[in-house]
Amino acid sequence: MCSPKKVCCFVCYKNFPKSVKSQRCKTCGDFKCPLCKSCLCDLTVGEQRVALAMMRTYKPILGNDYDFSVHGAIEKRIKASLKK
């Protein structure tokens, strides 16, 4: 299966290497950008919806290489906002 070695920051749009040493946000589960220190938490709810929808689109391509459950808390918050 495909597994990207680099990811693009949703805030500063710079690519950075994804590795075992990459820090993940404890709130949203996203990789923290080592350049601007941002993650999904720094996006608006609408932007988070787009980012998570994009990730869900590519999850079948990534197969078991991507554990989407790390985004559970932020996805729950987004779904709650849709019910309002």
Side-chain angles (χ1 to χ4, degrees):
M1 286 291 159
C2 172
S3 182
K5 303 267 188 253
K6 289 186 175 185
V7 292
C8 183
C9 175
F10 290 113
V11 176
C12 73
Y13 301 109
K14 303 284 185 191
N15 288 325
F16 62 92
K18 182 183 84 169
S19 69
V20 176
K21 295 179 184 178
S22 299
Q23 291 186 354
R24 284 195 177 257
C25 174
K26 292 178 181 156
T27 303
C28 70
D30 192 25
F31 290 105
K32 289 189 96 41
C33 176
L35 305 170
C36 71
K37 309 296 185 222
S38 61
C39 61
L40 285 173
C41 293
D42 297 296
L43 304 176
T44 66
V45 172
E47 292 167 336
Q48 290 171 348
R49 288 177 60 195
V50 171
L52 288 175
M54 186 268 313
M55 289 178 196
R56 280 202 173 277
T57 299
Y58 286 100
K59 186 179 182 315
I61 296 167
L62 298 174
N64 293 331
D65 290 344
Y66 192 78
D67 179 12
F68 198 83
S69 69
V70 298
H71 304 298
I74 200 162
E75 191 171 40
K76 183 177 179 181
R77 185 173 61 203
I78 289 169
K79 285 180 180 178
S81 75
L82 296 174
K83 293 178 182 177
K84 292 180 181 179

